[in-house]
Amino acid sequence: MGTELRRPPCAATPAAQLAERLAAMAMPCPMHPSVYQIEAAVIDWSREVGLDADPGAHRLAGRAFAGYDTGTASLFARWLTWLSRFREDPAAFAGVLAVAEGGEPGALPLERSFANLWRACAPGMSQEWRERFLAGLTAQHEALLAIGTPIQDRPSAGERTPIRDRPSTGERPPFQDCPSIEDYPALGRNAFGPYLFDLVEPCAGVEVPAPVQESPRWRAVVEASGDVAAWCDDLTTGRGYVAVASTWLDRPDDTAVEWVIDRVVTRMEELWTAARAIPLLLERHDLGFAASREATRVACAFLTIPRAYLEWFLESSRYRHLG
């Protein structure tokens, strides 16, 4: 990945730059007609399990599952709430993993809420799906540990030693210093939660056959979707990839935001390209009409989730400090 900067021709806000450069943003993403019922359901559930409600979960789920019933969208919104809280407390991993492997939850709200969600989803899924989910959970835990000190808590660009003035050792700094700009996409995708896309299947009540799941074309869609969602979350908060770019490019945060927007636009284009190959992939595996239709709906959700994050980035009140 190169580190060249491409400045837009005008000093528009990051949101305006993104909307202008992604033609698909011209049309609003459909919203679930019962989005406020979804919000109420998630707030009630969060209170029951002892978690703080995520203010954007119902809108993200309402967009990602706009064509599904209210229960499906509400279940995904609950998972989004749990995921956002788990990212803040990776120390809960051992207890959560124990629950996923059949143990009883402890007193921690993250364990109790996970047990509630796991019981709602896992029984109807195959052992292969469970193993894939647990692999994603483990990858997230390892990535969160690898990142170490929260990137948003590191020194700002004006307080740290410029890269050009740092001693050259021939090696990049360890993750606890700052992930390299080349390493961060995969690391950030894992830290965000790679199993987010695995959860589409149990929420929608389907399971895509393993040969399709394991194919390079399907993985290309999942990984591109994960990158766009994770990077838009970073843009919303000013953390993650934005902070990494600011550190490694030795640039002010506003220029780092522009650089990350470049990456989002490129990755979104790659996502669309990868998605166009899915119909041929399903035809090649000869799934039959019903199974192909279900797999196509899952793939469409993969396209909609990053779009939902794009719109959340544009509308979020948390974004205002970047404008």
Side-chain angles (χ1 to χ4, degrees), residues 81-134:
T81 299
W82 181 87
L83 188 154
S84 67
R85 300 308 170 216
F86 180 71
R87 289 204 304 262
E88 297 169 356
D89 186 13
F93 170 74
V96 168
L97 183 62
V99 172
E101 293 176 341
E104 290 297 318
L108 291 177
L110 276 169
E111 293 181 29
R112 296 200 310 272
S113 55
F114 178 82
N116 177 276
L117 294 168
W118 192 244
R119 285 193 297 268
C121 292
M125 306 304 289
S126 68
Q127 184 62 29
E128 289 79 9
W129 180 90
R130 295 185 187 204
E131 291 175 355
R132 191 169 70 246
F133 178 94
L134 294 180

Side-chain angles (χ1 to χ4, degrees), residues 22-90:
L22 285 173
M25 296 299 296
M27 292 295 293
C29 188
M31 177 63 78
H32 198 287
S34 301
V35 64
Y36 296 112
Q37 293 180 26
I38 297 170
E39 179 183 24
V42 173
I43 290 174
D44 289 344
W45 176 81
S46 298
R47 288 172 177 165
E48 290 173 6
V49 298
L51 293 181
D52 292 333
D54 187 300
H58 66 289
R59 299 189 67 81
L60 288 168
R63 289 186 172 108
F65 287 85
Y68 288 79
D69 61 67
T70 304
T72 296
S74 297
L75 179 57
F76 193 70
R78 295 199 295 273
W79 271 115
L80 288 172
T81 299
W82 181 87
L83 188 154
S84 67
R85 300 308 170 216
F86 180 71
R87 289 204 304 262
E88 297 169 356
D89 186 13

Side-chain angles (χ1 to χ4, degrees), residues 112-177:
R112 296 200 310 272
S113 55
F114 178 82
N116 177 276
L117 294 168
W118 192 244
R119 285 193 297 268
C121 292
M125 306 304 289
S126 68
Q127 184 62 29
E128 289 79 9
W129 180 90
R130 295 185 187 204
E131 291 175 355
R132 191 169 70 246
F133 178 94
L134 294 180
L137 186 69
T138 301
Q140 182 186 38
H141 181 243
E142 292 174 350
L144 290 170
L145 292 180
I147 289 174
T149 303
I151 293 172
Q152 66 271 19
D153 294 337
R154 298 185 177 120
S156 65
E159 297 173 335
R160 54 184 174 252
T161 303
I163 293 170
R164 60 181 175 274
D165 296 334
R166 296 174 191 168
S168 177
T169 62
E171 299 179 356
R172 60 173 174 77
F175 284 128
Q176 284 75 8
D177 183 6

Side-chain angles (χ1 to χ4, degrees), residues 15 38 128 134 178 181-182 195 207 223 275 281 283 288 297:
I38 297 170
E128 289 79 9
L134 294 180
C178 185
I181 205 164
E182 290 81 12
Y195 51 83
E207 185 166 349
E223 291 183 1
L281 171 67
E283 181 180 343
R297 294 189 76 190

